[in-house]
Every structure is written in C-alpha cells, then in structure tokens.
C-alpha cells in the first residue's frame, strides 16, 4: 500500500469508519512509514485544535439592533444584566464608592458614640456567652432609654415650673401697673358721644387761605 | 405533529416577538461565529450576522420543515449571504483577525488562567493562518466539520453535494492543513 492511498484514508482511519480489513492495511503501513505516521499525528492535533477553537459571544447591542430592525421589539434583558446595569455599575463609580465609604464610617462612628460599650473577648465567643452579652447589651440599652425618659420628664417639670413662675411674675407686674395713682382719678366711663353733626367748617377741605 | 423549531417558526409567523427573540438568541451566536470564521473580522462578522438574521426574518414563510431542519435552513441562508459577501469583497481578509483574537473577549471555559489563554490565542492564530492558506472549498469544509462540529450529512445538505464529496474535502483540508503546519513548525522551530 503506498503513501498517497493511505493519505486518502487517513481521516476515515482516524474516525474509525474504515472497514476492519482496510484499517488493518493502514495500520500496517503506518508502522512501517515514519512520514505517514507523523502526518496522522499532525492531523489529530489539527482536529483537536479546531475543536478547541474559541467561540465568541455576539455583542448584546447587535442582538438589540437585529430585534429592532425586525420585530421592532427591544431585547428582553435578563435579571442579572438589569442588576448589573442599574445597581452594580452605579455602585462601582468612584464618587459613589467614596460617598458610601464615608457614610459607613460616619455611621460606625455615631453608633460607637451612642451605643453602650460592650467588652468582648475571644474567650466569650460561645453561644451562651454571646446570648448573655446581647442580653446585657439590651438591658444596658433599656436602662439608657429609661434614664433618658426620666431626664426628659425632669426637664419637662422644670420647664413647667419656670413657665408658671414667669406667668405669676407677669401677672403681678400687670396688677401693679393697673393700681390707680392717688389724686388722679381714673374716668371709668367713656366721654359722652357727640350726636350733633360736625360743623361745616371742619367738613370742608382747606385748600387755600381765604 | 410539529417539531420544536417548526412550532417556533409558526409562532414567529403569527407575530410572536418573544419567539423571534428566542430564535435570535439561539442562532445568533452560531451565525456570528460562522461569519467570523469566514471573514476573520469582528466588525464584518457582526454586520453579516445582522444581515443574515434580518434575511431569515424576512424569509421565514419560505421555510418548509419537510425540506430539512430549521438549523440547516438558517445555516444555508447564512452561508449564501457569507459567500455573497465574499464575492463582493473579492477576497478573504488576510489581516486583522489574528490580532483580534488576543483582544477579543474570548468566552472559553477551558482557559481559566492567563498563560493558558495566551497559549490558546497562539494556537488559534497558528490555525487561522493555516486556514487562510486553504482553498475556499476546503476551508469551508474544515470550518463546518471540525470547528462548528456539524455532521457530515448536514454539511452535505447545506452545501448541496454528496456526503462522499464532503468527506473527501474534509480529508484533503486536514491533510493540507497538517502539512502546512508541519512546514511552519519546522520553519519556526517551535512546539505547538
């Protein structure tokens, strides 16, 4: 069997689609012929290279264009893409990242100031200990709340006292002002009403001296 | 009884836009890759894919399920347009594709690390250069069978030639490609 004949059958031999008799003849030739054997190996590597050839994704914008130019309906976007477009991408902008970091730091700082201090050690990280810790924290928080409530009531009482004192003082000042001075009788009744018509003179508008 | 693809076509013909979107999503990637294998250029492949799918939409009524599968029908439309494009351009572009392979967003699960991705790109460039040297007939046979993985019978139906001719073209294509690569490897003195 010559090399040109074997070359014609190499693909079939590689894919095991030759008859048993022909496959045997090709095998025998390959054992004897170095170049045909090398060619078969190369062909196998070519086929595996072709099969591992990368495939590419079609640009979503192209799909959008196709749909708009055919059915006229825009592309249905998967949830993941919507999430990326409207939530993750805006979050990844530098301005928002800096703002979010500053807000988080501010929140931590405020919580640190406002919440009661709890001491946590590594040895206390058992479930029961954590529950106790949380309970203690809740109790402290409740205590702080009660104290704040009492304080509020106290301020309210103080304000009420201050308000009533001020009002009393004002009332007494008013009474003092309203006491009549001796020898200066205060006329209780208003002056008698003049029923007569006003004089003619007074009703005229004085424009020029007569 | 209607097959899945036939039902999809029926729904498209009744004006169901969602069904057409399914067709575009199902076959868009395949047509794009096929176009890219032929043109070697990403922008041309995208334009071709759009034109092919628009043509498919316009000619959906001419699809007959008894004449073959929907996939083969779409691939036939795609191939005809690709060949028209080739005739208009009067050439297969020799540059652009190899460089693009490295910069393109390659979605290949078998390339988890940069080193393997670089090797993959190198091997792909090697193969691409080899494919450029083949005649259009042999190149087409290799693309359809070894890269796209289409069955011999479907390729025969697609190209309108006997299955034996397809097998012969594929064997000749593989042989020429192997010999070219052996020669090239000897010249460069490198191992693939």
């Amino acid at each position: 069997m010559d090399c040109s004949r074997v070359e014609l059958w190499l693909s079939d031999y590689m894919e095991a689609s030759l008859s048993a008799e022909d496959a045997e003849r090709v095998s025998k030739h390959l054992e004897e012929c170095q170049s045909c054997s090398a060619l078969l190996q190369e062909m196998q590597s070519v086929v595996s290279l072709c099969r591992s050839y990368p495939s590419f994704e079609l640009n979503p914008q192209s799909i959008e264009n196709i749909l708009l130019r055919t059915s006229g309906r825009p592309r249905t976007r998967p949830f993941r893409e919507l999430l990326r477009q409207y939530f993750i991408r805006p979050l990844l902008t530098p301005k928002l990242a800096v703002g979010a970091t500053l807000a988080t730091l501010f929140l931590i700082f405020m919580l640190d100031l406002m919440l009661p201090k709890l001491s946590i050690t590594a040895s206390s990280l058992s479930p029961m200990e954590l529950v106790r810790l949380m309970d203690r924290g809740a109790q402290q928080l409740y205590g702080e709340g009660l104290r704040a409530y009492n304080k509020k009531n106290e301020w309210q009482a103080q304000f009420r006292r201050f308000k009533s004192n001020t009002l009393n003082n004002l009332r007494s000042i008013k009474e003092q002002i309203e006491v009549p001075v001796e020898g200066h009788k205060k006329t209780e009744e208003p002056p008698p009403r003049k029923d007569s018509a006003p004089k003619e003179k007074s009703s005229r508008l004085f424009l020029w001296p007569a | 009884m209607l097959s899945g693809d036939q039902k999809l076509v029926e729904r498209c013909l009744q004006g169901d836009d969602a069904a057409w979107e399914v067709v575009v999503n199902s076959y868009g990637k395949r047509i794009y890759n096929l176009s890219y294998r032929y043109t070697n250029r990403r922008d041309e492949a995208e334009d071709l894919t759009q034109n092919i799918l628009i043509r498919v939409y316009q000619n959906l009524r001419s699809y007959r399920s008894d004449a073959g599968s929907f996939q083969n029908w779409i691939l036939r439309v795609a191939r005809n347009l690709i060949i028209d494009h080739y005739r208009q351009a009067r050439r297969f572009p020799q540059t652009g594709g190899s460089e693009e392979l490295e910069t393109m967003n390659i979605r290949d699960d078998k390339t988890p690390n940069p080193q393997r991705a670089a090797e993959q790109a190198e091997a792909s460039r090697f193969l691409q250069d080899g494919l450029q040297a083949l005649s259009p007939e042999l190149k087409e046979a290799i693309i359809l069978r070894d890269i796209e993985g289409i069955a011999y019978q479907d390729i025969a139906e697609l190209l309108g030639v006997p299955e034996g001719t397809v097998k012969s073209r594929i064997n000749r294509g593989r042989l020429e490609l192997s010999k070219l690569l052996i020669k090239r490897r000897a010249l460069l003195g490198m191992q693939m």
Side-chain angles (χ1 to χ4, degrees), chain A residues 7-12 14-15 38-39 42-43 45-47 49-59 62-63 65-67 69-71 73-76, chain B residues 17-18 20-21 24-25 29 32-33 36-37 46 49-50 53-54 57 101 104 106-107 120 123-124 127-128 146-147 152 171 174-175 177-179 181-182 185:
Chain A
E7 279 185 8
L8 285 179
W9 284 357
L10 267 187
S11 276
D12 287 333
M14 199 172 69
E15 290 173 355
L39 196 59
E42 194 63 42
M43 197 185 259
S45 73
V46 161
V47 171
L49 196 58
C50 285
R51 283 178 188 160
S52 65
Y53 200 75
S55 67
F56 308 107
E57 291 294 332
L58 181 58
N59 186 355
S62 293
I63 295 178
N65 290 343
I66 292 164
L67 292 174
R69 286 172 67 185
T70 50
S71 62
R73 186 180 116 148
R75 186 168 58 97
T76 312
Chain B
D17 295 339
W20 171 242
E21 194 174 346
V24 172
N25 285 326
K29 185 182 171 186
Y32 174 61
N33 278 287
Y36 180 70
R37 314 291 184 221
E46 277 179 4
T49 306
Q50 289 191 28
L53 283 165
I54 290 167
Y57 186 77
L101 266 176
M104 280 175 79
I106 298 175
R107 301 274 179 88
Q120 179 77 42
S124 298
L127 177 66
Q128 217 165 27
D146 289 338
I147 298 180
Y152 287 117
N171 188 52
R174 284 173 180 170
L175 277 173
L177 208 50
S178 304
K179 286 174 181 171
L181 294 183
I182 286 174
R185 190 180 289 169

Side-chain angles (χ1 to χ4, degrees), chain A residues 83-97:
Chain A
L83 194 73
R84 198 166 48 234
Q85 185 176 0
Y86 294 112
F87 186 70
I88 297 173
R89 202 173 292 164
L91 274 183
L92 293 177
T93 55
K95 277 181 192 170
L96 201 77

